[in-house]
Amino acid sequence: MSRTLPVVTMALLLAGGVVAVRAQTQPDLVLTNGKIITVDERFTIAQAVAIKGDRIVAVGTNQDVGRLAGPATRRIDLKGRAVTPGLIDNHMHLLRAGTTWQYEVRLDGVGTRRQALDMLRARAATVKPGDWIYTLGGWAIEQFADDSKPFTREELDRAAPNNPVLLQASYREAFLNSRAIQLLGVDEAAAQNAAIVKDGAGKPTGRVLEAGFRQLVAKLPTASGAELEASTRLMLRDLNRMGLTAFGSAGCEAEVMPTFRKLADQGQLTVRVGCITSPPGGGNVDQLLPRIAQMKLFQGDNYIDNIFYGESVYGPLHDPMFIAKSDPKPEQLATWRRIATEIAKARLPLHVHANLTDTLDGFLDQIELINREYPIRNLRWTLAHVNQLNASHLERMKKLGLYAAVHPWAVINGGINQAVFGDAAYDMAQLRTIQNSGIMWGFGSDGTRANQIQPFTTLWWAVTGKMVGGARALRESNTIAREDALIAYTRRNAFFVFQEDNLGSIAPGKLADLVVLDRDYLTVPADQIKDIKPVTTIVGGRVVYDAGAEPVALAASAGK
Ligand SMILES: [Zn+2]
């Protein structure tokens, strides 16, 4: 393919006579000698890309694209490296994560206990004695291939003797060291709280189960004010390092939004944010309905915008992660329908948390009823998470014109899923059935707590069926081709952030969001997909991450 913008072609043809025009139209940046995985409709592979301002102006052969360059054009020789569109996560709790990032030792994709403890020790060596070190999800103890026994307080004491440590594993359990136990008053609470695990002598072991850790986490320090901006910048750098360039952000918290707006205004926001949001005070349905009618989406730009109503319609019908079966009651579903009808009347897109079989059926029953009066096709109503989505749901969804936002919790929670759901866990999610159904679907993480967020870890899971650490989490027959997995993280996800004209493939006219990889996603052995590292990440034509410019390759965010 050798498409160029007409004005550039004309400048070339007229050569010397139009120097000024040519100077204006020559690209700012040209990348040549690469394997450009465009992910366009025909999955074209090209050699070179030209960028002018924040957009791609040409994609093609080295010769065709190279000759557009002028004296002021910056050139990058890709030396054969693969390039993909910037990766899009269609559902992450992005803004909230900035409030904790500076304290977190992220264990996303860490497959051994040994490495996790090394990271903890390294962090303890860089922070002040007494400073909190914690991490809120994004990993599970079952992901450690070398030893997946619960962390003990003594073990965490040895790793960080002078700092309180709390490690929340997914939404399942948390592990504390002695300083954290002391600071959070766990000893005092232990006798009356069954969620605090105790040894034979009645002393807390450091492990706290789901029912007990949320109140402890609520006491942890978080970043606000100037600290919030610094913490958010650390996070953005880490996200760009993973190859992520755009998000559907579940919940754009009012207290964090100003930080993102400020960064955007200063031209320093290095990811694009599409908010999945709902009016405040959703508890009272009568108060909520008029607010829905007044909601206005799509008032922003291609860096920050409000794009979906979500992710909850009616609180009591919000599936928890680790229960085997949901039981939506008729009166609850009727209330859900009342709210969703108002969303349909207002012609708002909807992105709704729905995971378990009976919940999916219950919501589909309601949407079919709503659709008779207020057609929802083309509103991009999306069922999100959908780990138990099956062929019968897909049939109904296709008739309604619904989308599926697939958030594979199994990437870290495969072991927990097997404990909760038995063998059915190996069919969560039925990726191949979803892919073959022809429905519009895309990938998200639902991170940073319920799941890990590294896109190449999710892509590896989709292709191999293995969870972090290497244990099987998905039946082989549910896995999909790596091309289809990549399309779901790029071109299809552009629809989930309402930017299909701007994002998702490398094509002339689209925004220049792309990622140069250290190895070829299409040919690397499947088991190495998780090890792929971005070398350079470009957002809107700007290099926002360059591995060569980093002082040290970091496994996770640096200390405060
Ligand atoms: Zn959710």
Side-chain angles (χ1 to χ4, degrees):
M1 167 168 120
S2 62
R3 289 172 59 189
T4 53
L5 291 183
V7 64
V8 177
T9 311
M10 194 176 73
L12 285 168
L13 291 173
L14 299 178
V18 285
V19 172
V21 174
R22 193 167 172 207
Q24 274 173 15
T25 54
Q26 65 186 228
D28 299 318
L29 177 62
V30 163
L31 308 162
T32 54
N33 293 321
K35 177 175 178 180
I36 315 295
I37 305 168
T38 66
V39 197
D40 65 7
E41 290 290 337
R42 291 157 51 211
F43 214 81
T44 308
I45 306 295
Q47 293 175 316
V49 186
I51 296 166
K52 170 99 182 150
D54 63 354
R55 300 226 172 230
I56 295 163
V57 292
V59 179
T61 63
N62 288 329
Q63 209 186 5
D64 286 344
V65 175
R67 69 176 170 226
L68 302 177
T73 303
R74 180 181 169 197
R75 295 160 181 268
I76 295 179
D77 180 353
L78 294 167
K79 301 193 173 94
R81 281 184 165 138
V83 178
T84 66
L87 295 153
I88 303 169
D89 186 328
N90 74 33
H91 183 120
M92 195 177 105
H93 296 263
L94 174 73
L95 273 67
R96 181 185 70 187
T99 67
T100 55
W101 202 261
Q102 67 177 16
Y103 296 99
E104 293 200 64
V105 174
R106 294 293 306 180
L107 301 177
D108 304 70
V110 173
T112 64
R113 181 191 205 89
R114 189 177 46 79
Q115 192 190 341
L117 287 168
D118 283 348
M119 290 167 68
L120 208 52
R121 266 191 294 274
R123 176 64 65 89
T126 64
V127 298
K128 291 201 293 289
D131 281 356
W132 269 98
I133 299 172
Y134 62 73
T135 199
L136 302 184
W139 70 287
I141 198 86
E142 292 79 4
Q143 77 190 38
F144 295 148
D146 51 348
D147 180 358
S148 60
K149 287 194 301 293
F151 279 123
T152 65
R153 66 190 280 178
E154 294 79 14
E155 186 178 27
L156 298 179
D157 285 347
R158 283 194 296 276
N162 301 314
N163 301 86
V165 172
L166 182 151
L167 306 177
Q168 175 187 326
S170 184
Y171 276 112
R172 188 66 166 172
E173 58 194 337
F175 304 100
L176 287 70
N177 74 352
S178 296
R179 281 178 182 267
I181 285 171
Q182 193 193 355
L183 281 170
L184 298 175
V186 174
D187 278 323
E188 294 80 348
Q192 304 92 310
N193 192 338
I196 298 171
V197 179
K198 286 150 295 242
D199 63 16
K203 187 182 162 205
T205 62
R207 184 178 180 212
V208 179
L209 305 179
E210 186 185 3
F213 73 70
R214 285 172 198 256
Q215 65 210 64
L216 301 179
V217 165
K219 297 182 193 171
L220 296 175
T222 55
S224 58
E227 259 201 333
L228 175 58
E229 184 179 329
S231 180
T232 297
R233 283 176 186 271
L234 276 179
M235 175 179 74
L236 296 177
R237 185 197 62 183
D238 287 344
L239 299 174
N240 291 147
R241 175 188 290 127
M242 296 172 193
L244 289 161
T245 58
F247 294 87
S249 179
C252 278
E253 291 79 358
E255 63 276 19
V256 186
M257 208 58 190
T259 298
F260 273 74
R261 291 211 183 281
K262 183 180 167 198
L263 290 172
D265 291 346
Q266 295 172 344
Q268 294 185 27
L269 187 58
T270 60
V271 301
R272 304 178 191 278
V273 186
C275 293
I276 300 164
T277 183
S278 48
N284 180 316
V285 177
D286 292 316
Q287 287 174 12
L288 177 63
L289 297 185
R291 290 184 189 146
I292 293 173
Q294 287 160 15
M295 234 180 130
K296 284 199 170 33
L297 303 178
F298 307 109
Q299 310 287 302
D301 57 28
N302 61 42
Y303 273 98
I304 305 188
D305 209 348
N306 290 319
I307 59 171
F308 274 112
Y309 190 102
E311 69 166 284
S312 197
V313 167
Y314 181 50
L317 290 181
H318 194 89
D319 286 343
M321 287 183 79
F322 302 123
I323 61 162
K325 201 174 171 351
S326 64
D327 182 23
K329 299 278 187 287
E331 63 275 15
Q332 293 174 321
L333 287 166
T335 305
W336 192 95
R337 186 167 82 241
R338 248 186 101 198
I339 301 169
T341 299
E342 208 61 31
I343 298 168
K345 269 163 76 178
R347 310 278 307 152
L348 296 171
L350 170 66
H351 181 115
V352 61
H353 176 113
N355 193 54
L356 297 166
T357 301
D358 294 329
T359 303
L360 290 162
D361 276 317
F363 288 2
L364 286 167
D365 291 344
Q366 309 314 310
I367 295 172
E368 283 166 357
L369 290 172
I370 294 167
N371 187 58
R372 288 182 199 163
E373 217 181 334
Y374 303 102
I376 54 100
R377 184 174 290 279
N378 302 324
L379 292 182
R380 305 192 190 193
W381 277 26
T382 300
L383 301 182
H385 309 331
V386 297
N387 288 275
Q388 287 196 340
L389 194 68
N390 62 34
S392 118
H393 301 134
L394 284 160
E395 195 66 29
R396 299 174 73 185
M397 289 173 71
K398 280 180 70 181
K399 286 203 183 106
L400 289 161
L402 297 184
Y403 289 10
V406 179
H407 308 145
W409 289 338
V411 179
I412 64 164
N413 297 299
I416 302 170
N417 283 351
Q418 283 151 33
V420 175
F421 301 98
D423 277 355
Y426 296 101
D427 293 316
M428 293 165 56
Q430 298 179 37
L431 289 186
R432 199 174 299 181
T433 305
I434 295 169
Q435 172 66 28
N436 291 342
S437 77
I439 199 168
M440 176 62 80
W441 76 279
F443 268 132
S445 65
D446 195 24
T448 55
R449 299 185 184 180
N451 201 359
Q452 70 86 37
I453 58 173
Q454 299 179 141
F456 287 102
T457 302
T458 305
L459 290 165
W460 165 76
W461 168 86
V463 171
T464 65
K466 293 177 190 172
M467 64 172 281
V468 176
R472 177 148 298 280
L474 197 62
R475 215 180 296 284
E476 187 84 43
S477 58
N478 287 320
T479 60
I480 54 172
R482 63 181 83 190
E483 291 84 355
D484 291 330
L486 181 62
I487 290 168
Y489 239 115
T490 53
R491 174 156 43 84
R492 285 177 184 264
N493 260 354
F495 286 88
F496 287 79
V497 292
F498 288 83
Q499 295 226 40
E500 64 272 21
D501 294 335
N502 280 328
L503 303 177
S505 64
I506 299 173
K510 286 204 167 177
L511 289 167
D513 292 10
L514 38 95
V515 188
V516 183
L517 307 178
D518 70 342
R519 61 200 101 176
D520 182 359
Y521 173 76
L522 294 181
T523 59
V524 75
D527 215 37
Q528 289 178 26
I529 292 173
K530 66 182 186 313
D531 305 318
I532 292 174
K533 299 268 184 294
V535 174
T536 307
T537 303
I538 295 174
V539 173
R542 289 179 296 155
V543 174
V544 295
Y545 168 70
D546 177 4
E550 293 273 301
V552 191
L554 299 169
S557 61
K560 295 190 266 172

